[in-house]
Amino acid sequence: MVEIEKNAENVLNKIKELYGNSGDLNTRLIKVGKTNVGVMFMESSSSTQTISDFIIKGVDYVSRDSSKIFDNIYTNLKNNIFNSQVITTKDFTEFSYFLSAGFTIIVVDGKDEAIVMETRADLDRGVSESTSEPILRGPKDSFTESHSKNLGLLRKRIKDNNLWFKEVKVGRRTKSRVSIAYLSDVVDQEHIKKIEEKLQAINVDGILDSGNIREYLTKQKSSFPQILSTERPDLACQSLLDGKIVILVENTPFVLILPSVFTDFMHTSEDQFQKPFNMSFTRLLKVLSLIITLFTPAIYIAITTFDQTVVPDKLLISLAVQREGVPFPTAFEVILLMTIFEILRESDIRLPANMGASMSIVGALVLGQAAVDAGIVSPIAVIVVAFTSICSLLFNDADFINGIRTWRLVFIISATFFGLIGLVVATLIFLLKLSSLETLGTSFLAPFGPFSLDGQKNSILRFPLPKIMKRPEYMGSKDVTKQGGSNEK
């Protein structure tokens, strides 16, 4: 802590020197009788109209009321300037945070305490529809870069005094606000304490996105994400009601939900808004698509390279005819096509929307057909890779997709060198790796490992809502009752 000087002019000069006379730093020394009043704010992050209408006019009003005794000036300023948030500080080192956050600071001669008032400019976009997680039915709003708006989107849905927020500032330079949201009568306080300790232990220059802190919250390294990321407030609120913890980071529309399990990535936020049979069928399709996109290329390589005996003769002859004249081994052929597709996929994501269709047509149709006609790849390989890639499009979480890519390559390499036996061994390693993962004491494969009969009601299948009476057992919630019982709190 550094004490504030009792000379307002010296404080303003010190701030100017601290910021290198930055162009957006605005300071003003106002004479009130024989006393100097210093006003400082960042023009880039503050609302100059608010400052002019309330702060400057307020100082002028006080100057007419008490122009002789500086103690009265300070007290009158604190009590008579109209502002939604007025705080005081005696620590000079806090000035940089308040100025950058859009606050206006007032110092008065003879006082070692400063008045801090909120005058933030509106630098955030309004609440809009989610672009990364579109749905057919359900709320259309999404989180924004405004931290206060994000908290409000949760409060708007969960009107309960047990919805608590714990705030931690992370980053030596950015000092980003990170809020831990949870239901205090449901979540184990030990989990909150662990998360808070991990956040406070982060010693880095800056946190600019929620993705920056994800790696600090999980010790185990895995290609599959152990923490779910979403920009949908309805999904975050549903997770809170299930007894999970939501972490919101300033200046990003994506929040983190933990602990997350494997089946969470098979769900969508609209699962609760549609008929259970339809959503169960959709989830089964996702599971089938996951199996296809992980194993189909490896199985194709194994049965055409090592284990031809498991293929019917007519199909084997058909495969051999299609591969006639192709100069490359099957494994190289598949890896080449998969690489081309992943490049096209990344290009389609990065390109402007009006160019994406052209890229898809050129890549998928022209390039694929030309490769087959030139005899570089076989038609069956194009079909296998295309079918595999289409199945992977059912998943929209970027980290989950990257996990699929990694393990699909592992399965392809295993099948290339050891055939079906290598694929079986790689699958066992895959399952062992997933079963070893945990977050806050929750197994990544819950509710299947350890098995929970009650947890099957909302895992792959989705039972009718009236039958889902309890929160997931693997959460270890203090209050497991989700519906029924007393309405009193």
Side-chain angles (χ1 to χ4, degrees):
M1 174 178 171
V2 178
E3 292 184 355
I4 301 171
E5 289 189 36
K6 294 184 179 182
N7 187 298
E9 187 175 2
N10 289 346
V11 174
L12 295 184
N13 291 333
K14 198 171 180 180
I15 283 293
K16 289 179 183 178
E17 184 181 352
L18 187 65
Y19 278 93
N21 286 313
S22 179
D24 62 340
L25 176 63
N26 199 317
T27 61
R28 183 174 175 182
L29 193 66
I30 303 173
K31 202 80 172 177
V32 180
K34 296 182 179 180
T35 305
N36 288 325
V37 176
V39 180
M40 64 194 88
F41 61 91
M42 284 290 183
E43 192 175 346
S44 55
S45 57
S46 302
S47 171
T48 54
Q49 184 175 355
T50 301
I51 295 168
S52 298
D53 291 345
F54 296 97
I55 308 296
I56 304 301
K57 288 182 179 179
V59 174
D60 182 61
Y61 169 77
V62 171
S63 68
R64 289 190 236 110
D65 183 52
S66 56
S67 59
K68 295 181 179 180
I69 306 174
F70 58 76
D71 281 341
N72 288 345
I73 294 174
Y74 178 84
T75 304
N76 287 338
L77 283 173
K78 187 167 65 173
N79 295 334
N80 293 316
I81 294 181
F82 301 106
N83 194 275
S84 60
Q85 186 175 352
V86 180
I87 57 178
T88 60
T89 179
K90 291 189 175 183
D91 189 358
F92 183 79
T93 58
E94 292 184 345
F95 279 23
S96 59
Y97 170 77
F98 286 124
L99 289 171
S100 300
F103 287 76
T104 296
I105 301 175
I106 300 175
V107 291
V108 180
D109 274 351
K111 296 294 291 185
D112 62 350
E113 189 174 67
I115 303 171
V116 183
M117 299 186 177
E118 184 179 7
T119 53
R120 286 192 182 103
D122 189 8
L123 302 176
D124 304 299
R125 62 185 173 95
V127 178
S128 58
E129 188 172 346
S130 172
T131 56
S132 63
E133 299 172 80
I135 63 171
L136 298 176
R137 182 178 180 180
K140 299 296 183 180
D141 56 347
S142 66
F143 289 115
T144 72
E145 289 76 14
S146 171
H147 195 67
S148 57
K149 284 182 182 177
N150 291 344
L151 299 182
L153 289 171
L154 297 182
R155 288 282 187 201
K156 183 177 74 170
R157 287 173 166 83
I158 303 179
K159 304 174 182 67
D160 185 6
N161 60 289
N162 289 300
L163 176 58
W164 290 4
F165 297 106
K166 279 201 173 184
E167 185 172 304
V168 180
K169 287 186 176 64
V170 183
R172 292 191 299 262
R173 298 183 186 275
T174 60
K175 295 181 175 63
S176 303
R177 297 167 63 193
V178 179
S179 292
I180 308 169
Y182 62 98
L183 294 176
S184 61
D185 59 337
V186 174
V187 175
D188 188 348
Q189 291 297 323
E190 285 297 317
H191 292 167
I192 303 300
K193 186 178 179 181
K194 287 180 182 178
I195 294 174
E196 195 172 4
E197 289 174 351
K198 288 181 179 180
L199 291 175
Q200 291 173 344
I202 297 176
N203 187 15
V204 66
D205 275 351
I207 294 294
L208 301 177
D209 185 81
S210 57
N212 294 144
I213 67 173
R214 183 183 298 187
E215 295 181 36
Y216 294 99
L217 296 175
T218 54
K219 292 182 179 179
Q220 297 166 304
K221 304 302 178 183
S222 171
S223 54
F224 280 103
Q226 297 167 253
I227 299 176
L228 182 64
S229 175
T230 182
E231 62 172 342
R232 298 198 59 84
D234 53 326
L235 178 57
C237 287
Q238 185 59 54
S239 300
L240 287 170
L241 295 174
D242 284 338
K244 297 187 179 182
I245 301 165
V246 175
I247 298 178
L248 305 95
V249 181
E250 188 178 19
N251 298 321
T252 176
F254 290 91
V255 306
L256 304 179
I257 300 173
L258 68 162
S260 296
V261 296
F262 189 80
T263 54
D264 288 338
F265 298 92
M266 303 293 111
H267 300 175
T268 63
S269 57
E270 61 184 320
D271 286 3
Q272 309 297 325
F273 311 138
Q274 298 194 25
K275 290 184 176 296
F277 175 81
N278 296 338
M279 297 318 301
S280 296
F281 182 72
T282 301
R283 290 180 183 181
L284 288 172
L285 279 181
K286 277 196 168 186
V287 173
L288 178 62
S289 298
L290 177 64
I291 295 172
I292 290 172
T293 192
L294 280 174
F295 295 105
T296 301
I299 292 174
Y300 170 67
I301 292 172
I303 63 176
T304 55
T305 307
F306 285 92
D307 305 280
Q308 295 94 339
T309 55
V310 302
V311 184
D313 293 341
K314 289 185 178 180
L315 178 59
L316 187 61
I317 294 172
S318 176
L319 295 176
V321 170
Q322 291 186 54
R323 280 197 46 78
E324 186 178 359
V326 177
F328 302 114
T330 304
F332 180 82
E333 186 182 12
V334 170
I335 293 174
L336 176 65
L337 288 173
M338 293 297 301
T339 303
I340 292 173
F341 172 80
E342 295 299 341
I343 292 173
L344 288 172
R345 180 171 183 163
E346 288 297 321
S347 301
D348 191 42
I349 293 173
R350 311 302 170 194
L351 282 174
N354 55 356
M355 296 177 62
S358 302
M359 178 62 69
S360 300
I361 293 171
V362 171
L365 298 179
V366 178
L367 187 59
Q369 186 62 43
V372 173
D373 293 342
I376 298 175
V377 296
S378 62
I380 186 63
V382 174
I383 293 172
V384 168
V385 173
F387 186 45
T388 300
S389 302
I390 289 172
C391 290
S392 69
L393 296 177
L394 267 68
F395 308 96
N396 54 19
D397 187 281
D399 295 293
F400 193 78
I401 293 171
N402 289 332
I404 292 174
R405 289 174 178 172
T406 303
W407 279 100
R408 183 168 54 201
L409 181 61
V410 171
F411 294 144
I412 288 174
I413 294 174
S414 300
T416 300
F417 290 100
F418 305 105
L420 289 177
I421 294 176
L423 180 57
V424 171
V425 172
T427 303
L428 292 175
I429 296 173
F430 172 67
L431 293 175
L432 288 172
K433 178 62 178 176
L434 291 185
S435 62
S436 67
L437 299 177
E438 65 173 21
T439 305
L440 296 177
T442 300
S443 172
F444 189 59
L445 291 183
F448 300 102
F451 183 79
S452 169
L453 184 61
D454 194 61
Q456 307 306 315
K457 294 180 179 179
N458 193 26
S459 55
I460 300 301
L461 300 178
R462 210 274 273 173
F463 279 46
L465 291 178
K467 294 188 178 296
I468 306 176
M469 305 293 293
K470 297 181 179 180
R471 295 183 176 87
E473 293 180 2
Y474 57 81
M475 295 302 304
S477 303
K478 293 188 293 185
D479 180 9
V480 298
T481 303
K482 193 173 184 178
Q483 60 177 310
S486 175
N487 288 326
E488 297 181 1
K489 287 288 184 181

